[in-house]
Amino acid sequence: MADVFESSEIPGVWLIRLQVHTDPRGSFVETYRSSWLPFAAPMVQGNRSESAPKVLRGLHYHRRQADLWTVQRGRVTTVLVDTRVGSPAEGKHATLEQGGGEELAVYIPEGVAHGFYAHDQVVMSYLVTGEYDGSDELGVAWNDPDLGITWPDGEPILSERDQKNPRLADVEADRRVPYSG
Protein backbone atom coordinates (compact mmCIF):
# COMPACT_ATOMS: atom_id res chain seq x y z
CA MET A 1 0.00 0.00 0.00
CA ALA A 2 1.24 3.49 -0.82
CA ASP A 3 1.84 6.18 1.79
CA VAL A 4 -0.24 9.26 0.83
CA PHE A 5 0.23 12.64 2.52
CA GLU A 6 -0.41 16.32 1.82
CA SER A 7 2.55 18.63 1.23
CA SER A 8 3.44 20.74 4.23
CA GLU A 9 4.59 23.52 1.89
CA ILE A 10 1.78 23.92 -0.68
CA PRO A 11 -1.80 23.06 0.29
CA GLY A 12 -3.57 20.70 -2.11
CA VAL A 13 -0.35 19.09 -3.37
CA TRP A 14 -0.33 15.41 -2.41
CA LEU A 15 2.72 13.17 -2.33
CA ILE A 16 2.43 9.42 -2.75
CA ARG A 17 5.32 7.18 -1.69
CA LEU A 18 4.97 4.25 -4.04
CA GLN A 19 5.75 0.73 -2.84
CA VAL A 20 8.16 -1.27 -4.99
CA HIS A 21 7.78 -5.05 -4.91
CA THR A 22 10.82 -6.93 -6.17
CA ASP A 23 11.71 -10.56 -6.71
CA PRO A 24 14.23 -12.38 -8.91
CA ARG A 25 12.12 -11.57 -12.01
CA GLY A 26 12.22 -7.80 -11.53
CA SER A 27 9.87 -5.35 -9.87
CA PHE A 28 6.24 -4.18 -9.75
CA VAL A 29 4.89 -0.77 -8.68
CA GLU A 30 1.29 0.46 -8.53
CA THR A 31 1.45 4.01 -9.88
CA TYR A 32 -2.19 5.03 -9.36
CA ARG A 33 -5.31 4.09 -7.45
CA SER A 34 -8.33 6.38 -7.42
CA SER A 35 -8.76 5.60 -3.70
CA TRP A 36 -5.46 7.38 -2.96
CA LEU A 37 -7.01 10.70 -4.06
CA PRO A 38 -10.76 10.37 -3.35
CA PHE A 39 -11.27 14.15 -3.53
CA ALA A 40 -9.78 14.45 -7.05
CA ALA A 41 -11.73 14.61 -10.28
CA PRO A 42 -11.36 11.42 -12.34
CA MET A 43 -8.17 11.08 -14.35
CA VAL A 44 -9.24 11.10 -18.03
CA GLN A 45 -6.02 11.20 -20.07
CA GLY A 46 -2.59 9.63 -19.70
CA ASN A 47 0.58 11.13 -21.19
CA ARG A 48 4.26 10.26 -21.41
CA SER A 49 7.15 12.64 -21.95
CA GLU A 50 10.77 11.82 -22.62
CA SER A 51 13.50 14.33 -21.84
CA ALA A 52 17.21 14.43 -22.54
CA PRO A 53 19.70 15.35 -19.80
CA LYS A 54 19.76 19.08 -18.89
CA VAL A 55 16.21 19.68 -20.18
CA LEU A 56 13.99 21.89 -18.02
CA ARG A 57 10.25 21.73 -18.70
CA GLY A 58 8.10 24.41 -17.11
CA LEU A 59 6.92 26.14 -15.22
CA HIS A 60 3.41 25.27 -16.51
CA TYR A 61 0.02 25.49 -14.85
CA HIS A 62 -3.61 24.87 -15.70
CA ARG A 63 -6.84 26.45 -14.50
CA ARG A 64 -9.02 23.44 -15.32
CA GLN A 65 -6.75 20.41 -14.92
CA ALA A 66 -4.86 18.60 -12.17
CA ASP A 67 -1.86 16.32 -12.87
CA LEU A 68 -0.43 13.19 -11.27
CA TRP A 69 3.27 12.73 -12.10
CA THR A 70 5.41 9.61 -11.84
CA VAL A 71 8.95 9.17 -13.15
CA GLN A 72 9.38 5.89 -14.98
CA ARG A 73 13.08 6.21 -15.77
CA GLY A 74 15.79 8.66 -14.73
CA ARG A 75 15.85 11.32 -12.05
CA VAL A 76 14.31 14.79 -11.94
CA THR A 77 14.23 17.78 -9.65
CA THR A 78 10.59 18.83 -9.54
CA VAL A 79 9.59 22.39 -8.62
CA LEU A 80 6.04 23.44 -7.73
CA VAL A 81 4.92 27.07 -7.42
CA ASP A 82 1.61 28.12 -5.91
CA THR A 83 0.11 30.67 -8.32
CA ARG A 84 -3.40 30.53 -6.78
CA VAL A 85 -4.75 33.93 -5.80
CA GLY A 86 -5.33 34.08 -2.04
CA SER A 87 -3.54 30.84 -1.19
CA PRO A 88 -1.60 30.87 2.08
CA ALA A 89 1.38 29.70 -0.02
CA GLU A 90 0.81 32.11 -2.94
CA GLY A 91 4.11 32.81 -4.70
CA LYS A 92 5.98 30.18 -2.70
CA HIS A 93 7.68 27.12 -4.15
CA ALA A 94 8.54 23.57 -3.11
CA THR A 95 11.33 21.43 -4.55
CA LEU A 96 11.49 17.64 -4.47
CA GLU A 97 13.29 14.75 -6.12
CA GLN A 98 11.52 12.09 -8.17
CA GLY A 99 12.93 8.95 -9.76
CA GLY A 100 16.44 7.62 -9.31
CA GLY A 101 15.25 5.41 -6.45
CA GLU A 102 12.84 8.01 -5.01
CA GLU A 103 9.53 6.33 -5.91
CA LEU A 104 7.29 9.33 -5.40
CA ALA A 105 4.16 10.32 -7.29
CA VAL A 106 2.97 13.93 -7.04
CA TYR A 107 -0.63 15.17 -7.35
CA ILE A 108 -0.59 18.78 -8.60
CA PRO A 109 -3.88 20.69 -8.30
CA GLU A 110 -5.17 23.39 -10.62
CA GLY A 111 -3.25 26.64 -10.28
CA VAL A 112 -0.01 25.13 -9.02
CA ALA A 113 2.75 25.66 -11.58
CA HIS A 114 5.01 22.69 -12.13
CA GLY A 115 8.29 22.03 -13.82
CA PHE A 116 11.18 19.63 -13.72
CA TYR A 117 14.86 19.43 -14.56
CA ALA A 118 16.09 16.15 -16.08
CA HIS A 119 19.37 15.04 -14.52
CA ASP A 120 19.69 12.23 -17.08
CA GLN A 121 17.53 10.56 -19.74
CA VAL A 122 14.02 10.75 -18.26
CA VAL A 123 10.69 9.10 -19.00
CA MET A 124 7.79 10.61 -17.07
CA SER A 125 4.16 9.57 -17.18
CA TYR A 126 1.35 11.73 -16.00
CA LEU A 127 -2.37 11.39 -15.65
CA VAL A 128 -4.60 14.45 -15.95
CA THR A 129 -8.17 15.32 -14.99
CA GLY A 130 -8.93 17.07 -18.30
CA GLU A 131 -8.29 16.24 -21.91
CA TYR A 132 -5.73 18.45 -23.68
CA ASP A 133 -6.95 22.02 -24.16
CA GLY A 134 -4.39 24.45 -25.53
CA SER A 135 -6.25 27.43 -24.07
CA ASP A 136 -5.48 26.03 -20.60
CA GLU A 137 -1.70 25.79 -21.15
CA LEU A 138 -0.25 28.63 -19.08
CA GLY A 139 3.19 29.32 -17.70
CA VAL A 140 5.48 31.25 -15.40
CA ALA A 141 9.17 32.00 -16.00
CA TRP A 142 11.35 29.19 -14.67
CA ASN A 143 13.92 31.76 -13.54
CA ASP A 144 11.56 34.42 -12.12
CA PRO A 145 13.82 36.14 -9.56
CA ASP A 146 10.86 36.87 -7.26
CA LEU A 147 10.30 33.11 -6.78
CA GLY A 148 13.84 32.43 -5.55
CA ILE A 149 14.09 28.95 -7.08
CA THR A 150 17.51 27.32 -7.15
CA TRP A 151 17.57 24.94 -10.11
CA PRO A 152 20.34 22.34 -10.55
CA ASP A 153 21.53 24.12 -13.72
CA GLY A 154 21.50 27.84 -14.52
CA GLU A 155 21.60 27.21 -18.27
CA PRO A 156 19.19 24.35 -19.00
CA ILE A 157 17.79 23.35 -22.37
CA LEU A 158 14.38 25.08 -22.72
CA SER A 159 11.59 25.06 -25.27
CA GLU A 160 10.90 28.31 -27.11
CA ARG A 161 7.61 28.58 -25.22
CA ASP A 162 9.28 28.18 -21.81
CA GLN A 163 11.85 30.84 -22.69
CA LYS A 164 8.98 33.33 -23.11
CA ASN A 165 6.89 32.60 -19.99
CA PRO A 166 6.19 35.76 -17.93
CA ARG A 167 7.15 36.46 -14.33
CA LEU A 168 4.38 35.57 -11.89
CA ALA A 169 3.92 39.25 -11.01
CA ASP A 170 3.10 39.93 -14.68
CA VAL A 171 0.36 37.27 -14.93
CA GLU A 172 -3.06 38.89 -14.75
CA ALA A 173 -5.30 37.68 -11.91
CA ASP A 174 -7.98 36.43 -14.35
CA ARG A 175 -5.35 34.05 -15.82
CA ARG A 176 -4.83 32.49 -12.38
CA VAL A 177 -6.94 30.23 -10.18
CA PRO A 178 -8.59 31.56 -7.02
CA TYR A 179 -7.64 29.51 -3.94
CA SER A 180 -10.62 27.60 -2.59
CA GLY A 181 -8.87 26.02 0.42
Side-chain angles (χ1 to χ4, degrees):
M1 191 59 144
D3 182 22
V4 181
F5 53 99
E6 188 171 15
S7 166
S8 61
E9 298 173 271
I10 300 179
V13 169
W14 287 82
L15 307 173
I16 305 161
R17 254 189 228 296
L18 303 172
Q19 300 298 311
V20 180
H21 304 279
T22 60
D23 65 24
R25 301 169 298 161
S27 65
F28 174 82
V29 178
E30 287 184 339
T31 58
Y32 174 71
R33 282 190 184 196
S34 61
S35 61
W36 293 342
L37 304 166
F39 54 84
M43 298 293 170
V44 300
Q45 181 175 315
N47 303 305
R48 182 180 84 187
S49 74
E50 297 186 24
S51 300
K54 297 181 64 72
V55 164
L56 191 153
R57 294 184 186 264
L59 295 161
H60 307 147
Y61 72 97
H62 314 278
R63 293 174 293 175
R64 299 181 298 276
Q65 170 185 301
D67 291 36
L68 179 68
W69 284 10
T70 56
V71 175
Q72 305 299 309
R73 183 177 68 215
R75 181 172 70 91
V76 302
T77 296
T78 298
V79 175
L80 307 172
V81 176
D82 197 339
T83 72
R84 297 170 296 181
V85 177
S87 167
E90 183 177 353
K92 294 187 174 30
H93 75 276
T95 302
L96 51 105
E97 300 295 318
Q98 288 184 272
E102 185 62 51
E103 297 297 335
L104 186 68
V106 181
Y107 174 82
I108 306 163
E110 297 89 343
V112 173
H114 41 278
F116 68 87
Y117 174 83
H119 292 274
D120 45 26
Q121 192 69 33
V122 168
V123 176
M124 178 181 283
S125 64
Y126 53 105
L127 301 175
V128 294
T129 59
E131 292 184 2
Y132 177 77
D133 174 359
S135 70
D136 196 36
E137 291 288 318
L138 305 163
V140 174
W142 69 279
N143 58 352
D144 180 339
D146 295 337
L147 299 178
I149 300 167
T150 301
W151 290 95
D153 187 336
E155 295 183 24
I157 300 166
L158 296 163
S159 70
E160 189 174 322
R161 170 188 163 205
D162 289 345
Q163 291 175 35
K164 296 177 181 177
N165 283 337
R167 293 171 58 162
L168 180 57
D170 295 332
V171 177
E172 296 176 23
D174 68 347
R175 303 282 294 164
R176 294 169 56 195
V177 174
Y179 178 71
S180 61

